[in-house]
Amino acid sequence: MDTTPAAPLTVYYDGACPLCAAEIRTYRRSRGADALAWVDVSRPGPADLGGLTRDAARARFHVRDREGRLASGAAGFLTLWSHLPGWHRLAWIRHVPGVPWLAEGAYRLFLPLRPWIARRLGSRTPCDGACGPGPR
């Protein structure tokens, strides 16, 4: 499933990154995931990237809600979790003072480690250059 205009949330993810793809598979198996639009930004072609460049879309995790608001990085995950019934309990942490800031800091620290983590976990297709150009 790609973009659906009526979807409450469009999720832009880097399917070429083994870690990202594995995480997205987990979310897509969740209850409520079929109502969301899932866009693999690593695929060439005319996919609607919601105004993002392909490089920008691959560099960070992004979601766009039905009203057109874009959230990226940790805020994107918190937004995604709020749309999935099995994950929404985690989304409440965005209301705890300081947590969104700390979560974004952790996310930015994780981004350059994606290739190393993929190799350590034995991925046959490490993300080296495939995980986007790095944090933004």
Side-chain angles (χ1 to χ4, degrees):
M1 168 172 54
D2 272 335
T3 59
T4 303
L9 194 71
T10 300
V11 179
Y12 303 97
Y13 66 96
D14 186 355
C17 170
L19 295 175
C20 307
E23 185 171 14
I24 292 300
R25 280 192 302 275
T26 298
Y27 294 135
R28 290 186 79 165
R29 287 191 296 262
S30 299
R31 187 168 42 97
D34 55 341
L36 307 182
W38 302 87
V39 179
D40 181 350
V41 300
S42 70
R43 293 184 177 190
D48 179 7
L49 301 181
L52 296 166
T53 66
R54 194 163 307 280
D55 283 346
R58 291 187 72 198
R60 290 175 57 84
F61 178 75
H62 295 83
V63 298
R64 187 175 301 280
D65 68 16
R66 185 178 284 146
E67 288 76 34
R69 293 180 296 241
L70 185 69
S72 69
F77 283 104
L78 292 168
T79 301
L80 172 60
W81 296 344
S82 72
H83 282 80
L84 295 173
W87 292 84
H88 76 276
R89 289 188 189 118
L90 286 175
W92 72 269
I93 65 171
R94 76 168 116 200
H95 302 294
V96 176
V99 167
W101 181 82
L102 289 171
E104 179 61 25
Y107 180 78
R108 287 176 181 247
L109 288 173
F110 163 76
L111 286 176
L113 297 176
R114 288 188 291 176
W116 181 84
I117 294 169
R119 283 192 304 274
R120 299 298 284 173
L121 294 176
S123 173
R124 283 191 254 145
T125 55
C127 26
D128 295 325
C131 286
R136 296 231 163 107

